[in-house]
Amino acid sequence: MKLSTEDRITVTAYIDPVCPYAWVTSQWLRDVARARPLDLDFRTMSLAILNQDPADPLELTRGYESAWRPVRVAEAIAATRGPEHRHRYFYEFGHRYHDLRERPRDTVLRDTLAALDAMTLYGAADDQVWDEAVIASHHAALDGVGDDVGTPIVRIGGTGIFGPVLTTVPDTARGAAIFDAVATLIAHPEFTELKRTRTTSSDE
């Protein structure tokens, strides 16, 4: 299915900013939006919830490396500055963490907030008041997709699917073709899954 230039389609990507495959998928979608008329939205999904340890559900023993911290900040930014600022936060964090390989996570978080002139929101990383918003967004991602999935989840025109999982960002033409294929498949309720063993990694 190739979208005409008159059509617009809402695409929502649920990502955890520390997931390398979610980063690749988000970059793919940003590039596709240059070739297809997408209304693109990025929302929060949580590896901390997906991989929850019953003995340490808030990952307190992980300290500054806790996966809760970046997504709490994402929700704080969206609530206080607007969803469009969450989009930029995901990009700035992901670029530093995945492309530049900056570590540790707390340094990435601080540098990202500094770039966004949002250091006043650093405290949100350890403020559990934002957990409710993270959990709500995470479960919204799973709605209609199921529990046996990971991040990213991409919702195209209201229909969600886990993935697509890409190891690298394809060029614009191939990326748009992949998007068209995915959009065609998930429009059919009979379709549930395609998968093959990864022969390359996202280098995470």
Side-chain angles (χ1 to χ4, degrees):
M1 177 181 71
K2 185 173 182 178
L3 301 173
S4 74
T5 55
E6 291 78 23
D7 295 325
R8 295 205 67 81
I9 189 165
T10 299
V11 177
T12 305
Y14 293 86
I15 65 174
D16 187 306
V18 303
C19 173
Y21 295 108
W23 169 245
V24 173
T25 295
S26 70
Q27 290 299 91
W28 163 68
L29 286 171
R30 287 186 176 98
D31 194 54
V32 171
R34 300 185 182 100
R36 297 287 184 270
L38 307 186
D39 293 324
L40 185 57
D41 187 20
F42 292 102
R43 299 187 188 178
T44 303
M45 196 170 178
S46 172
L47 284 174
I49 298 174
L50 283 171
N51 303 323
Q52 191 171 82
D53 179 355
D56 186 23
L58 295 180
E59 296 192 338
L60 297 177
T61 58
R62 300 193 67 195
Y64 286 149
E65 290 298 298
S66 170
W68 277 101
R69 302 181 82 244
V71 291
R72 284 174 180 149
V73 172
E75 291 302 325
I77 285 176
T80 60
R81 300 196 173 192
E84 68 279 5
H85 291 273
R86 178 172 53 205
H87 298 185
R88 188 179 169 202
Y89 167 79
F90 280 147
Y91 175 79
E92 294 288 345
F93 186 100
H95 175 60
R96 287 167 173 77
Y97 192 70
H98 300 291
D99 293 341
L100 302 181
R101 310 290 294 172
E102 192 174 309
R103 297 294 187 274
R105 285 182 188 174
D106 188 60
T107 298
V108 181
L109 185 59
R110 289 176 180 273
D111 288 350
T112 297
L113 290 173
L116 299 176
D117 193 25
M119 280 303 296
T120 55
L121 294 176
Y122 174 76
D126 299 303
D127 190 343
Q128 294 176 28
V129 73
W130 298 107
D131 292 4
E132 183 177 352
V134 172
I135 293 168
S137 184
H138 181 87
H139 286 296
L142 297 177
D143 185 31
V145 180
D147 296 329
D148 57 338
V149 295
T151 181
I153 286 177
V154 173
R155 200 172 297 278
I156 301 176
T159 303
I161 192 170
F162 167 49
V165 175
L166 306 171
T167 54
T168 58
V169 179
D171 62 57
T172 301
R174 288 191 302 122
I178 292 170
F179 179 85
D180 293 343
V182 172
T184 297
L185 284 172
I186 69 172
H188 296 278
E190 301 87 355
F191 172 73
T192 56
E193 183 176 10
L194 281 174
K195 188 173 182 178
R196 63 181 169 188
T197 300
R198 298 174 193 146
T199 55
T200 58
S201 74
S202 64
D203 195 33
E204 174 62 24

